[in-house]
């Protein structure tokens, strides 16, 4: 491969001597490796098996094997045990509550938190995040569960304890196959299994980088919109109403309409209990937040409320006397493993993909946030594996989808967590509940669980107070937040995520479409060139116009680039060329008229021609050369290279030279491959310079050799 030469003018030589001497940089030759050799080398590298490689693979897949042998028992054990206990205590009421949101019985929420805590401890790379139930994912799973229940014949929540035929189960005997609870967890585990498979496949394909495309404003808007939907879905439990969950687009509006239509059926016992629990939990949560710096651990008011409400409901006979809905029987121990329903996978495949993306994005964003705060590194692809197996393996034990959760992670960090050993302590607390304590929650009212969910939504709902600040800081980010939030809440939760991604992409694209075109001037005698419209005291260079376009030049904005350049310089070479053609045509017509008239009439015709020609003379411009500062141009595609070639050609036909300055290596390679440099000798190659000053000096020296302004328009 021949070395390419890119020329730049030497500022010192141009300033001190007469003729300008260009300085040449010769690029290093790069040997192109044969693709067969490259593929063979990669295959050999990946397929080579040795004891060291096997050990490294095992250590990478099970990060616990790296940090556990180096565990500092005296320094870390107390913090890990304390944080594990506190998070475990908080998880008990939350696991029961969020299982209601996912459309499952309470026991399955406890299973989910238990298994995910153990698996993430073994596979995760973050030291601080708490993986388990997460409100947004529970909502997404619950929507799929309710849809499939309706399709299978389980229409209302009143059939929860009824044995009903699942229409899609394929029962050949004609008898009942699975009751509502059984079918609901079958759908939930199938969604969870499919989402976990997606996440593991993405880990195998090393696509952990996709998390960077989900901005903070997008995720925050999505979470807030989903929180509004969650809040709406729990109001019926606060009022003690038995209403089916609204399906399809606009479910939030449909739910509120249904609530207002059925207000007359409110259960007063549930309403009073809800108001009392809210009156206790809201201020106590605020106290926990206000004094969290002074408290060694947050006070578990949720657990206290659950215990008190369960005792009141049991001894007050709320279910029998007032018809209050309670959690019901929560069995102890574990159920035998069960395979997902393979026939349901096609029905839930699309929903599972959006759930997989949301779960991974939340987990990676929280992992990286706390890793940066505490000075260590997490592996996004390993996090993909970890959260994937936190879904695949527990799905065989009747669990639903999990991810990291911000609230519990903050509690975990603030209570002294040092490693994921705290996750094992949390699992032990949940194991104790599963084996011994869970039946004691039989009389717990569902409205209390709904209150716990609502109180835990405070953080997401308080994001509305940040909207004015977000708007002042960055209007595009605020717009992404508002559009994503509104779509997630008012139209459809999954659609909100897709719309948010599309709006983010269009905002990025729009920034390249609305790029500023700047004419630059020099600051004193320094080699500093900035926008003439933004700074005072800048000097234009005699005979040279300097232009900067602050965006990549590619197919979507190449025409805008040319328009911006022509508008900024005040000379459109295309229009000028058309004007000259029109003038030439007019001149030839007048010559023909003059030749036919002859004599005195011919003299008068010539005088008239000169007068008319003066009217059509082009506007005089004060530059003979244009320098384009390419430092903000990150890349060029084929359309971008062609646009630069057209600019060069059109301006040259009007007597104006075009030079490029400060191009990065990628741009230079694109120019070379795109044929920007014609093979017409050294003079034609001297268009690209390494600094603006070099280009300006070269243009001025070239003009002085050609008679200064003879080449101007």
């Amino acid at each position: 491969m021949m070395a390419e030469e890119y020329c730049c003018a030497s500022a010192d030589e141009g300033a001190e001597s007469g003729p300008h001497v260009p300085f040449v940089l010769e690029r290093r030759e790069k040997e192109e490796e044969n693709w067969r050799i490259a593929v063979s080398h990669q295959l050999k590298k990946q397929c080579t098996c040795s004891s060291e490689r096997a050990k490294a693979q095992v250590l990478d897949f099970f990060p616990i094997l790296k940090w556990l042998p180096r565990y500092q028992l005296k320094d870390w054990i107390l913090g890990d045990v304390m944080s594990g206990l506190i998070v475990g205590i908080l998880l008990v009421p939350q696991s029961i509550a969020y299982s209601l949101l996912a459309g499952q019985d309470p026991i399955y929420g406890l299973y989910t938190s238990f298994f995910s805590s153990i698996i993430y401890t073994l596979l995760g790379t973050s030291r601080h995040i708490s993986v388990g139930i997460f409100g947004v994912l529970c909502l997404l799973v619950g929507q799929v569960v309710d849809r499939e229940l309706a399709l299978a014949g389980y229409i209302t929540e009143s059939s929860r304890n009824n044995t009903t035929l699942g229409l899609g189960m394929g029962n050949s005997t004609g008898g009942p196959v699975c009751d509502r609870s059984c079918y609901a967890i079958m759908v939930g585990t199938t969604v969870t299994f499919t989402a976990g498979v997606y996440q593991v496949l993405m880990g195998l394909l090393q696509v952990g980088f996709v998390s960077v495309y989900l901005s903070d404003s997008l995720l925050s808007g999505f979470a807030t919109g989903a929180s509004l939907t969650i809040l709406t879905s729990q109001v019926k439990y606060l009022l003690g109403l038995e209403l089916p969950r609204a399906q399809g687009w606009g479910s939030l509006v449909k739910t509120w309409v249904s609530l207002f239509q059925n207000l007359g059926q409110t259960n007063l016992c549930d309403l009073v209990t809800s108001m009392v629990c809210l009156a206790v939990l809201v201020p106590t949560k605020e106290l926990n937040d206000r004094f969290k710096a002074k408290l060694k651990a947050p006070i578990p008011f949720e657990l206290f409320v659950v215990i008190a409400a369960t005792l009141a409901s049991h001894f007050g006979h709320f279910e029998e006397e007032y018809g209050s809905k309670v959690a019901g029987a929560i069995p102890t121990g574990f159920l035998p493993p069960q395979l997902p329903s393979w026939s349901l996978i096609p029905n839930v495949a699309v929903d599972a993909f959006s759930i997989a993306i949301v779960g991974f994005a939340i987990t990676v964003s929280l992992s990286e946030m706390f890793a940066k705060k505490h000075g260590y590194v997490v592996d996004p692809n390993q996090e993909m594996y970890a959260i994937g197996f936190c879904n695949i393996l527990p799905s065989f034990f009747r669990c639903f989808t999990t991810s990291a959760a911000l609230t519990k992670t903050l509690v975990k960090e603030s209570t002294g967590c040092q490693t994921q050993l705290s996750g094992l302590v949390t699992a032990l607390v949940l194991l104790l509940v599963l084996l011994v304590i869970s039946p004691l929650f039989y009389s717990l009212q569902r409205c209390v669980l709904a209150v716990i969910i609502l109180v835990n939504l405070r953080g997401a709902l308080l994001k509305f107070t940040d909207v004015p600040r977000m708007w002042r800081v960055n209007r595009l980010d605020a717009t992404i937040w508002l559009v994503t939030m509104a779509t997630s809440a008012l139209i459809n939760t999954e659609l909100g995520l897709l719309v948010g991604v599309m709006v983010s992409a269009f905002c990025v694209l729009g920034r390249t479409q609305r790029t500023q075109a700047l004419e630059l001037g020099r600051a004193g005698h320094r080699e500093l060139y900035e926008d003439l419209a933004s700074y005072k005291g800048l000097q234009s260079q005699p005979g040279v116009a300097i232009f900067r376009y602050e965006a990549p030049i590619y197919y979507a904005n190449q025409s805008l680039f040319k328009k911006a350049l022509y508008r900024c310089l005040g000379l459109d070479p295309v229009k000028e060329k058309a004007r000259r053609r029109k003038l030439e045509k007019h001149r030839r017509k007048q010559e023909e008229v003059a030749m036919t008239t002859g004599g005195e009439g011919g003299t008068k015709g010539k005088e008239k021609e000169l007068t008319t020609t003066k009217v059509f003379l082009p506007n005089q411009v004060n530059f003979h050369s244009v320098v384009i500062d390419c430092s903000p141009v990150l890349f060029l595609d084929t359309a971008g290279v062609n646009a630069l070639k057209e600019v060069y050609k059109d301006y040259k036909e009007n007597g104006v030279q075009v030079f490029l300055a400060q191009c990065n290596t990628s741009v230079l390679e694109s120019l070379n491959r795109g044929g920007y440099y014609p093979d017409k000798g050294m003079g034609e190659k001297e268009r690209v310079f390494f600094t603006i000053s070099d280009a300006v000096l070269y243009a001025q020296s070239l003009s002085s050799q050609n008679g200064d302004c003879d080449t101007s328009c």
Side-chain angles (χ1 to χ4, degrees):
M1 177 179 177
M2 297 297 292
E4 295 291 339
E5 295 182 349
Y6 302 104
C7 305
C8 78
S10 171
D12 295 337
E13 292 180 6
E16 296 175 359
S17 58
H20 190 81
V21 180
F23 177 74
V24 179
L25 282 182
E26 185 175 356
R27 301 197 66 193
R28 294 182 181 273
E29 293 186 5
K30 297 180 179 179
E31 295 183 1
E32 292 186 358
E33 188 177 5
N34 187 286
W35 67 271
R36 292 187 180 89
I37 298 176
V39 171
S40 175
H41 177 72
Q42 287 296 327
L43 288 175
K44 184 177 179 181
K45 181 179 178 181
Q46 295 296 328
C47 298
T48 300
C49 185
S50 64
S51 58
E52 292 80 6
R53 180 175 175 79
K55 180 181 178 181
Q57 291 291 336
V58 171
L59 291 177
D60 288 340
F61 193 75
F62 295 99
I64 189 174
L65 300 177
K66 292 182 179 179
W67 58 262
L68 190 59
R70 300 194 299 269
Y71 190 84
Q72 300 176 21
L73 188 64
K74 293 182 179 179
D75 298 331
W76 294 350
I77 189 63
L78 181 61
D80 283 343
V81 170
M82 282 296 298
S83 63
L85 285 173
I86 295 298
V87 172
I89 292 171
L90 293 177
L91 269 177
V92 172
Q94 289 185 15
S95 298
I96 297 174
Y98 280 102
S99 61
L100 189 71
L101 184 60
Q104 310 296 339
D105 289 343
I107 187 65
Y108 301 127
L110 294 170
Y111 287 162
T112 301
S113 297
F114 171 75
F115 284 108
S116 61
S117 297
I118 296 176
I119 295 172
Y120 188 81
T121 299
L122 300 175
L123 302 179
T125 58
S126 173
R127 303 175 189 171
H128 294 88
I129 66 169
S130 175
V131 173
I133 52 174
F134 180 56
V136 175
L137 292 184
C138 291
L139 171 68
L140 296 177
V141 172
Q143 290 175 342
V144 179
V145 169
D146 282 359
R147 184 192 69 204
E148 294 301 318
L149 284 174
L151 291 175
Y154 305 96
I155 305 300
T156 63
E157 295 212 355
S158 59
S159 62
R160 175 178 294 273
N161 296 320
N162 296 336
T163 301
T164 309
L165 178 63
L167 300 180
M169 298 297 292
N171 182 19
S172 59
T173 63
V177 175
C178 191
D179 64 11
R180 186 186 190 281
S181 173
C182 169
Y183 194 73
I185 192 57
M186 185 178 295
V187 175
T189 56
T190 304
V191 172
T192 301
F193 174 82
T194 310
V197 170
Y198 283 140
Q199 290 166 336
V200 171
L201 287 177
M202 287 189 285
L204 288 172
L205 296 175
Q206 302 287 296
V207 293
F209 64 89
V210 297
S211 61
V212 303
Y213 295 104
L214 302 177
S215 64
D216 292 341
S217 57
L218 186 154
L219 291 175
S220 176
F222 174 73
T224 304
S227 297
L228 291 176
T229 306
I230 293 171
L231 182 149
T232 302
S233 69
Q234 298 306 297
V235 174
K236 63 182 180 182
Y237 297 110
L238 301 182
L239 302 177
L241 299 176
E242 295 184 11
L243 302 175
R245 184 178 301 187
Q247 295 291 327
W249 290 10
S251 59
L252 182 140
V253 177
K254 294 177 183 176
T255 302
W256 280 108
V257 171
S258 180
L259 286 170
F260 283 115
Q261 291 175 344
N262 292 274
L263 277 179
Q265 302 175 19
T266 300
N267 186 299
L268 292 179
C269 178
D270 285 341
L271 178 61
V272 172
T273 303
S274 301
M275 294 301 103
V276 172
C277 291
L278 281 172
V280 173
L281 283 179
V282 171
T284 53
K285 280 281 188 179
E286 291 294 332
L287 288 175
N288 263 338
D289 290 343
R290 180 166 297 183
F291 297 103
K292 62 182 178 181
K294 297 181 179 180
L295 294 172
K296 292 184 178 180
I299 302 173
F301 289 109
E302 290 176 346
L303 186 61
F304 298 156
V305 167
V306 165
I307 294 173
T310 303
L311 292 174
S313 175
H314 176 73
F315 291 106
H317 305 288
F318 289 172
E319 181 183 18
E320 296 83 0
E321 297 291 336
Y322 306 105
S324 181
K325 296 298 178 183
V326 297
I330 304 178
T332 57
F334 295 91
L335 298 174
Q338 175 180 302
L339 290 175
S341 176
W342 308 116
S343 61
L344 282 173
I345 291 180
N347 297 356
V348 302
V350 176
D351 305 282
F353 184 75
S354 61
I355 289 172
I357 294 295
V358 173
F360 166 68
I362 296 295
T363 302
V364 170
S365 59
L366 286 180
S367 299
E368 292 181 341
M369 180 176 70
F370 284 92
K372 183 178 180 181
K373 181 177 180 180
H374 292 276
Y376 60 93
V377 179
V378 294
D379 181 0
N381 288 307
Q382 181 60 29
E383 289 295 295
M384 188 89 81
Y385 286 129
I387 201 65
F389 282 107
C390 280
N391 288 323
I392 291 177
L393 299 179
S395 68
F396 297 109
F397 295 92
R398 297 171 176 82
C399 301
F400 47 88
T401 317
T402 59
S403 74
L406 177 60
T407 304
K408 292 183 285 293
T409 300
L410 289 172
V411 171
K412 197 171 181 179
E413 182 207 26
S414 63
T415 51
C417 173
Q418 297 293 331
T419 68
Q420 282 298 332
L421 190 66
S422 60
L424 296 180
V425 178
T426 299
L428 289 175
V429 175
L430 294 171
L431 181 62
L432 177 64
V433 175
L434 284 166
L435 296 180
V436 180
I437 304 175
S438 57
L440 300 179
F441 294 108
Y442 176 91
S443 299
L444 177 61
Q445 293 169 272
R446 291 187 193 173
C447 63
V448 178
L449 301 177
V451 169
I452 292 174
I453 293 174
L454 294 184
V455 171
N456 282 285
L457 294 176
R458 292 178 313 122
L461 298 178
L462 286 175
K463 289 289 184 180
F464 283 103
T465 61
D466 291 339
V467 173
R469 181 190 59 81
M470 292 168 58
W471 186 261
R472 290 192 301 269
V473 173
N474 191 306
R475 293 187 177 183
L476 281 179
D477 286 344
T479 301
I480 293 171
W481 189 93
L482 289 170
V483 171
T484 307
M485 180 276 300
T487 308
S488 301
L490 300 177
I491 301 178
N492 181 270
T493 308
E494 294 91 339
L495 183 65
L497 183 64
L498 177 61
V499 169
V501 172
M502 294 178 63
V503 170
S504 298
F506 280 121
C507 285
V508 173
L509 183 63
R511 288 174 181 175
T512 65
Q513 302 293 302
R514 298 175 58 86
T515 302
Q516 287 185 326
L518 310 176
E519 185 176 2
L520 307 184
R522 185 172 181 175
H525 298 288
R526 299 177 181 272
E527 293 188 6
L528 176 63
Y529 293 83
E530 289 298 338
D531 180 24
L532 286 169
S534 299
Y535 299 96
K536 298 179 180 179
L538 299 181
Q539 301 172 356
S540 300
Q541 299 301 298
V544 182
I546 308 169
F547 171 82
R548 177 186 293 162
Y549 190 69
E550 298 184 330
I553 305 174
Y554 63 111
Y555 70 94
N557 71 346
Q558 51 89 17
S559 60
L560 298 176
F561 158 74
K562 292 188 289 186
K563 290 179 182 179
L565 175 63
Y566 300 158
R567 184 174 59 252
C568 184
L569 299 180
L571 175 63
D572 188 333
V574 178
K575 292 182 179 179
E576 180 64 22
K577 188 190 303 182
R579 192 184 70 84
R580 289 189 178 187
R581 287 176 181 173
K582 184 177 180 181
L583 180 62
E584 180 66 20
K585 183 178 179 181
H586 183 75
R587 186 183 64 80
R588 289 177 181 176
K589 185 177 180 181
Q590 287 187 340
E591 286 180 352
E592 293 176 359
V593 172
M595 291 177 64
T596 56
T597 56
E600 184 179 351
T603 304
K604 291 181 180 180
K606 289 182 180 180
E607 291 177 356
K608 185 178 180 182
E609 175 193 344
L610 291 174
T611 304
T612 309
T613 303
K614 287 182 181 179
V615 173
F616 287 96
L617 281 176
N619 296 327
Q620 296 294 322
V621 295
N622 59 356
F623 60 87
H624 52 73
S625 301
V626 175
V627 176
I628 301 178
D629 176 17
C630 295
S631 57
V633 180
L634 300 180
F635 65 88
L636 295 172
D637 66 356
T638 303
V641 174
N642 290 336
L644 289 174
K645 291 165 70 174
E646 291 172 10
V647 167
Y648 175 82
K649 178 177 176 292
D650 293 340
Y651 269 125
K652 186 177 181 181
E653 291 177 355
N654 287 273
V656 178
Q657 294 292 325
V658 176
F659 305 101
L660 306 182
Q662 302 191 133
C663 300
N664 61 43
T665 306
S666 172
V667 170
L668 290 175
E669 290 285 355
S670 298
L671 293 173
N672 184 35
R673 290 193 301 267
Y676 185 76
Y677 312 100
D679 295 324
K680 296 181 180 179
M682 191 65 180
E684 288 293 333
K685 280 193 174 184
E686 293 167 358
R687 301 189 209 161
V688 179
F689 297 82
F690 291 101
T691 67
I692 298 177
S693 295
D694 292 338
V696 170
L697 288 173
Y698 182 80
Q700 291 174 341
S701 67
L702 191 64
S703 174
S704 62
Q705 294 174 15
N706 295 333
D708 200 15
C709 294
D710 291 343
T711 59
S712 63
C713 297

